[in-house]
Amino acid sequence: ALLGLDENRMRVIAPEVGGGFGNKVDVSPEEALTSIASMKLGRPVKWSETRTETLLGTTHGRGHVHEIEAAYRKNGELLALRGRVISDVGAYPSFFGASIATFTPLMMPGCYRPKAVDVEVVCVYTNTMATDAYRGAGRPEAAYSVERVMDEIAVATGLDPVEVRRRNFIPKDAFPFTTAT
């Protein structure tokens, strides 16, 4: 649509680049410029960039600081999570940027069953590249936070970390299950 062409008039070759990493969703200026250059020259045009150029010019995926408190019983049962997610969204708005930080608290219970979750999200503009959808988009941050909570509960109660997790898993017979978020 950007170039005014039907899809069947375009040929894009994206060779194997390996695993599920890197930015997605956004359209880079280079993608549009190489297409325009190809149209003007009447021949294929290739764009490649260095790792440094990629890191400077494409969206970033993570820049969170989490401050999380947990309420739990002596037996290791997680009751509630409360805290704040501070998210670096870069220097200017992007397609999903600020919304990614809001996904994190929604997914914070993970496979566990706290009865309450109250997490404030604060997005801050900085002098870095914009943040946008990247692999996982808020999920790895949520998983890291709740798993650190489980480890801290284990330390505080003297219980085995595996046992703390077992006691907090959503049991099979509870499905379909609605989380606190």
Side-chain angles (χ1 to χ4, degrees):
L2 177 72
L3 301 170
L5 295 174
D6 293 331
E7 287 179 32
N8 64 351
R9 303 254 316 142
M10 301 232 8
R11 179 173 181 227
V12 177
I13 300 170
E16 176 60 43
V17 294
F21 59 87
N23 63 317
K24 56 183 182 178
V25 179
D26 62 315
V27 177
S28 70
E30 292 82 8
E31 291 169 329
L33 290 174
T34 53
S35 298
I36 292 167
S38 178
M39 291 166 62
K40 287 193 180 277
L41 296 171
R43 58 183 297 154
V45 172
K46 177 181 179 178
W47 166 258
S48 62
E49 60 191 3
T50 66
R51 181 85 172 133
T52 301
E53 288 170 331
T54 299
L55 290 171
L56 290 171
T58 60
T59 56
H60 293 193
R62 307 208 153 65
H64 284 193
V65 174
H66 294 196
E67 300 166 346
I68 305 296
E69 296 176 289
Y72 58 92
R73 296 188 197 280
K74 289 180 185 177
N75 70 358
E77 180 189 355
L78 174 63
L79 300 173
L81 296 168
R82 177 175 64 195
R84 179 167 40 167
V85 170
I86 302 167
S87 177
D88 173 352
V89 294
Y92 53 89
S94 62
F95 190 73
F96 277 119
S99 64
I100 292 168
T102 66
F103 301 159
T104 299
L106 292 175
M107 294 177 279
M108 208 167 275
C111 56
Y112 306 115
R113 51 185 173 179
K115 293 170 181 43
V117 175
D118 179 21
V119 179
E120 173 189 23
V121 175
V122 178
C123 293
V124 295
Y125 287 107
T126 66
N127 64 345
T128 63
M129 182 58 186
T131 298
D132 212 326
Y134 219 78
R135 304 302 175 218
R139 290 165 185 84
E141 298 86 342
Y144 180 81
S145 285
V146 75
E147 294 303 332
R148 286 291 296 134
V149 165
M150 291 296 153
D151 287 340
E152 292 298 321
I153 290 173
V155 169
T157 59
L159 295 167
D160 182 282
V162 173
E163 183 55 32
V164 170
R165 286 171 170 84
R166 246 188 230 122
R167 290 180 185 186
N168 287 287
F169 274 141
I170 303 165
K172 277 196 251 183
D173 60 357
F175 287 94
F177 185 81
T178 301
T179 69
T181 59

